Amino acid sequence: MEIIFWADLHLERDLGKAMEIASKFVKERVENKKVTSDSRKDFLDVLLEFGGSGKDEPDKLSERHLNIFIPAIL
């Protein structure tokens, strides 16, 4: 039982770090988009511009959604 607790603590810590890094990526990209008008897009740009139907998906992905989603796909 002690091993599971130890592993759980490390997983939580590592996930927190991953979410912190993802948050920095998202914030940096949002700020850069305000300043530059680069027409090239990557996966993060597409996620930031996502507009769902609003029926079974959100109208727009929030920074919180992106901060959770990005570490999950890495």
Side-chain angles (χ1 to χ4, degrees), residues 7 12 23 26-27 33 38 41 49 51 64 71-72 74:
E12 188 175 323
S23 176
V26 171
K27 286 180 182 181
K33 284 293 181 184
D38 191 0
K41 291 183 183 178
E49 294 174 3
R64 183 178 188 284
L74 297 177

Side-chain angles (χ1 to χ4, degrees), residues 28-50:
E28 183 178 308
R29 183 61 59 89
V30 168
E31 291 301 315
N32 284 344
K33 284 293 181 184
K34 290 178 185 177
V35 177
T36 64
S37 61
D38 191 0
S39 62
R40 295 178 295 165
K41 291 183 183 178
D42 62 11
F43 187 62
L44 181 54
D45 292 324
V46 172
L47 289 175
L48 287 167
E49 294 174 3
F50 173 78

Side-chain angles (χ1 to χ4, degrees), residues 10 16-17 20 22 24 30 32 36 43 45 48 55 60 67 70:
H10 284 278
K17 286 181 182 179
E20 184 179 320
K24 288 178 183 179
V30 168
N32 284 344
T36 64
F43 187 62
D45 292 324
L48 287 167
K55 188 174 184 180
K60 191 101 172 129
N67 293 341
I70 291 170

Side-chain angles (χ1 to χ4, degrees), residues 7-17:
D8 196 34
L9 284 176
H10 284 278
L11 179 64
E12 188 175 323
R13 183 196 67 205
D14 293 344
L15 185 57
K17 286 181 182 179

